[in-house]
Amino acid sequence: MPNWTKEQALAINEKGKNIIVSAGAGSGKTAVLTERVITHLKAGVKIDELLILTFTNAAATEMKIRIRKKIKEIKELKSELDKIDSAYITTFDAFALSLVKKYSHILNIEKNLQIADATLIKLKKEKYLKEIFDKYYEIKDPLFEKLLDDFTVKDDKEIFENIINLDDKLSNIYGKEDFLKSYINNYYSEEKLNNYIEEYLEYIKEKKKQIKNQIHALDLYVDGTYIEKIEEVVLPMLNSKTYKETKDNLITKLPNMPKGVEEDAKELKKEITKILKEIENLTKYEDESHIKKTIESTKDYAKVIVKILIELDEKMKKFKSKKSIYEFIDISNMAIDLLKTNQKVKEELKEKFYEILIDEYQDTNDLQELFVSFIEKNNVYMVGDIKQSIYRFRNTNPKLFKDKYSLYSKGEKGLKIDLNKNFRSRNNVLQSINKMFDYMMTEEIGGAEYRESHQMIYGNKT
């Protein structure tokens, strides 16, 4: 039996609440997750009463192999072996698809639906959007013409591609059609406009914080006299409380560096100058009311883009329904529709699973999070590492991990467990990595304060 650390033992045995486990590289995450499943089985929970969700088929297969191997070692669990292949150790997509097919009669779709080829969907979407563009050209839609006049030079290719990309992004929002139909009223309301201003000002504050961090890093390479010179010209802007004060106190040229400094110091100065230029661009407006008017001026463009997106969405829905072919994003939406509109199915799933275990939780997207929220009962076990979030191109949302980690750290709504001990690497390797990421990864850059709670600890003492 392995000698589990205190934190690993807690991650294996703690029950009765939502749990998020922040598991760094080499911390034994998969072993802990497997042992937790075995612990449940020893306590009388059946393997098919656990929902274990992964992000790839390979990960699901590996998890099944590990669990099968462990069960074979424990005589009293042999009866569970036959259930492994049919157990709910699967990907989000596969589980959602199984639900949609099982309850196809409720959703009023064909049971033998197929997953669409991505190339086919792309070609169809482009074909339909071209038809919509051609129609708008023919009827000489005034808002469409204004959009083209203001944002095109030679042709409409760039706008065409941007609308395709925008449609792809919006597909990750549950209730896309309702979102589009209410967009103009919602996002150009007085309240929203004021929120935009606040977010804009907050973004400027974040840039100021980045400069402070860079100056702190620069202090390691140059003497205090030079740091004092930089602070003398930059601090009035960094300490400004209002938009106008920031604009009035902005300095973009820094004092010359002393001779013979290291290249790293020069790079840090360049980075500070770059951020100052960004703040200069952000403070190009006269005041907050000017920012507000600028946002309001985009309303006509938004109106026609939303109109085009609604038409495109309707055409794609008809095509998919007629051919009974769907993308996985459609399957996720249908699975959520099923749980949202059918109380009986939702309650059946809630009662069926003793625990929902999610591996690589940092790669969860908003639709998957919403899906789980319908079937959880304070019994979600999430394992991941925000530092290893690599699937943003698939619309994953690491903020879900970050927000839960922060909330559970305060003891609210769940338990946070840190597995920071690395058993894979040598101490000098970990020290070098920690030193580097202390400065590279902050909440603004990377989504986590590495220095505060994500440093790796040397664990292999043998």
Side-chain angles (χ1 to χ4, degrees), residues 47-48 64 68 80-89:
I47 190 67
D48 55 2
K64 284 183 179 180
R68 189 194 306 276
E80 296 298 304
L81 275 176
D82 294 337
K83 301 176 186 176
I84 291 287
D85 288 330
S86 59
Y88 299 97
I89 306 171

Side-chain angles (χ1 to χ4, degrees), residues 2-52:
N3 293 318
W4 303 109
T5 65
K6 179 184 174 183
E7 294 79 15
Q8 287 175 329
L10 190 65
I12 289 167
N13 298 307
E14 191 67 30
K15 297 178 179 68
K17 56 177 77 72
N18 289 338
I19 298 171
I20 190 163
V21 180
S22 178
S27 64
K29 176 202 73 170
T30 307
V32 165
L33 187 58
T34 305
E35 189 65 24
R36 183 175 179 85
V37 171
I38 297 301
T39 302
H40 283 321
L41 299 184
K42 285 179 179 177
V45 178
K46 304 301 181 186
I47 190 67
D48 55 2
E49 292 173 342
L50 298 173
L51 175 58
I52 305 170

Side-chain angles (χ1 to χ4, degrees), residues 143 146-147 150-151 297-306:
L143 292 184
K146 184 184 180 197
L147 178 71
D150 291 350
F151 291 98
S297 70
T298 66
K299 190 172 182 178
D300 284 346
Y301 306 129
K303 278 182 179 178
V304 69
I305 290 170
V306 165

Side-chain angles (χ1 to χ4, degrees), residues 345-359:
V345 174
K346 184 177 82 170
E347 291 304 319
E348 278 179 7
L349 284 173
K350 261 192 172 186
E351 294 307 312
K352 182 177 183 63
F353 297 117
Y354 175 81
E355 186 169 78
I356 302 166
L357 300 96
I358 306 174
D359 193 14

